[in-house]
Structures are given as structure tokens and as C-alpha cells.
Amino acid sequence: MKKYSLAQLSRLIDHTNLKADATPTMMEKLCLEAKNYHFKMVAINQVQSKLCASLLQGSDVGIGAAIAFPLGQTTIEAKCFETQNAIDNGATEIDYVINLTQLKIGNLAYIEDEMSQIVAICRKHQVISKVIFENCYLTDAEKIGLCQIAVKVKPDFIKTSTGFAPTGATVEDVKLMKQHVGDTVKVKAAGGIRDANTFIKMLEAGAERIGTSSGIAIIEAIKQTLLDSHQQTIDVQCMK
């Protein structure tokens, strides 16, 4: 059992706007909200890295650039360039999508090489790395295989979904991922997490970061629950 204050729960949220038509005005709004709620970071398309770094300068909010998003179907060289470019423009976290085609044909060596190269760039610059699986397209065996590679390469996080596929995070997937990486790698749940109940269930399943565009609604709902119950913290029965 873990006790979380409202402030601690806010710091588990990656405040997200990955829309293709996101404007600078939308980014300004996203960053202001993230600062006001002290979310962990803003999750944005790579091209928005420089703008958001400027908007968030001096704050406690990170800049999370999405790489090869949302399909993952670019070369390792392209992903590495995109990663480095995002970091050069102020990104403090990287969420990249694996090459699903190579996974589906069983080319695990490619997947490991890709992960190793991107994670190495992030480590060099002390930037957090997250590997997006896109679980809805995968068998459990493929998910487990990716977890085994992650345990070897040691990115900071493995992540359930982009939020752009037919389905997003599930409690079952988070539990499976946590079971197979243990404490070596953290798990991020993303995609379809729109309410406080689902948010808490993902934490209980083992997620240590949540990607959502509904962070404000989630935190406000939990805030009201705490007020109604006259409590300062909420209990979360986290998976061991």
C-alpha cells in the first residue's frame, strides 16, 4: 500500500497534446496547465520541443518529445537523428515507438539494436527514455519478448501505447509488463486514461507514469474525493 498526496499524483502525469493540428496557442495552453498543476512533463510531437522548452523554462515540468510517432516505421538512423534533434531543442524525455514490422517478423536483434542506440543517446544527455510497445497489435509472447529486451537494455520506462491505435492501455497489459520487468524498468500507461478510477487502477497494476490528455479532470476529481473524505492522501494498493 502506498499513500499519495494530490501533489505526488500530479507528478505521475505526462500532460499530453499530440494532435497533428496542435497550434502554438495550444502548446501555450498545455504548458501553462502543466505548470499550474505541476505535472511531470508535457508530451508533445517532436517539432514542438523548442517552443515548449522556451515556455517551460525555469519550471519543474519536463519536455517529452514523441519520436517516430505514432507508427514507429522509420529507420534506426532516422529515429536517432530525431531523438538527438529533440534533445538539442530542449527535450528532457524521449518516448519512441518500436519498429512493429521488425518485431512481427521476429527480428529481435533489430529491436534490441534500435532500443540500445536510442537509449544510449538519452543516457549521454541525461534524458529519460521511454519505449512504446503499442500493445494492441502484439501477442502476449511479443510483449514479454520486448520486456526481456528492455530488462537487458534498461530504458527508464516501457510504455503501453501511443493513444493513436485502436485501443490503449489496459490493466492486464500493465500487470504483464510490470511482472516481466520488475524493478529494473518502470512502466508507463497511456491511451484511453480519462478518469480518476482508471488512473488509480493503472497505478495499482504497476504503472509509475501516466500519459493522458485528461490530467486536469483526473486531479480535480481526486481533489474532490479527498475533500469529501477529509483526507490528505489516497491509498493505492500497488502491484509488487
Side-chain angles (χ1 to χ4, degrees):
M1 183 78 71
K2 287 186 179 180
K3 291 184 179 293
Y4 287 96
S5 67
L6 196 65
Q8 288 171 325
L9 291 172
S10 288
R11 296 299 286 170
L12 301 178
I13 292 176
D14 289 352
H15 193 40
T16 305
N17 186 339
L18 289 159
K19 294 179 179 178
D21 61 350
T23 63
T25 300
M26 291 178 184
M27 291 295 104
E28 290 172 6
K29 179 176 182 289
L30 185 80
C31 291
L32 180 59
E33 291 170 346
K35 285 192 286 187
N36 287 342
Y37 281 84
H38 298 282
F39 292 137
K40 186 65 176 179
M41 67 103 153
V42 290
I44 53 168
N45 282 307
Q46 192 262 16
V47 72
Q48 306 283 9
S49 300
K50 190 172 185 177
L51 172 60
C52 290
S54 175
L55 292 168
L56 291 167
Q57 187 173 6
S59 76
D60 61 353
V61 182
I63 299 91
I67 303 299
F69 198 86
L71 301 178
Q73 296 303 296
T74 57
T75 64
I76 295 174
E77 292 80 7
K79 289 180 184 180
C80 287
F81 176 85
E82 199 175 344
T83 297
Q84 184 64 58
N85 183 259
I87 294 170
D88 290 344
N89 281 296
T92 59
E93 303 197 13
I94 295 294
D95 293 41
Y96 88 90
V97 188
I98 67 156
N99 189 314
L100 288 161
T101 299
Q102 294 300 321
L103 178 63
K104 284 295 181 183
I105 64 173
N107 192 353
L108 298 183
Y110 183 100
I111 298 298
E112 183 175 336
D113 183 27
E114 178 180 77
M115 195 183 301
S116 297
Q117 290 195 46
I118 295 171
V119 169
I121 294 169
C122 292
R123 282 200 191 119
K124 178 181 177 181
H125 297 281
Q126 297 182 312
V127 165
I128 291 172
S129 56
K130 305 193 197 85
V131 181
I132 306 174
F133 286 13
E134 202 68 291
N135 282 332
C136 70
Y137 296 123
L138 307 181
T139 65
D140 282 354
E142 288 167 338
K143 296 168 196 173
I144 292 168
L146 286 172
C147 287
Q148 291 169 340
I149 293 171
V151 167
K152 183 177 180 180
V153 177
K154 295 182 177 61
D156 294 290
F157 287 84
I158 53 174
K159 178 177 169 182
T160 61
S161 328
T162 62
F164 282 73
T167 60
T170 67
V171 167
E172 293 75 20
D173 276 343
V174 172
K175 286 181 178 178
L176 180 71
M177 293 162 77
K178 178 63 176 175
Q179 177 186 350
H180 288 278
V181 297
D183 294 328
T184 304
V185 181
K186 296 177 182 178
V187 178
K188 174 178 173 178
I193 303 168
R194 301 187 180 93
D195 58 71
N197 184 51
T198 306
F199 175 83
I200 296 299
K201 285 182 177 179
M202 294 299 172
L203 298 183
E204 290 174 340
E208 296 184 63
R209 193 80 73 87
I210 304 293
T212 179
S213 58
S214 302
I216 292 174
I218 289 168
I219 291 300
E220 289 295 338
I222 295 172
K223 180 180 179 180
Q224 189 60 53
T225 297
L226 291 172
L227 287 171
D228 291 344
S229 62
H230 305 289
Q231 294 179 341
Q232 297 297 314
T233 59
I234 188 166
D235 293 337
V236 178
Q237 186 66 53
C238 299
M239 176 180 170
K240 294 182 180 180

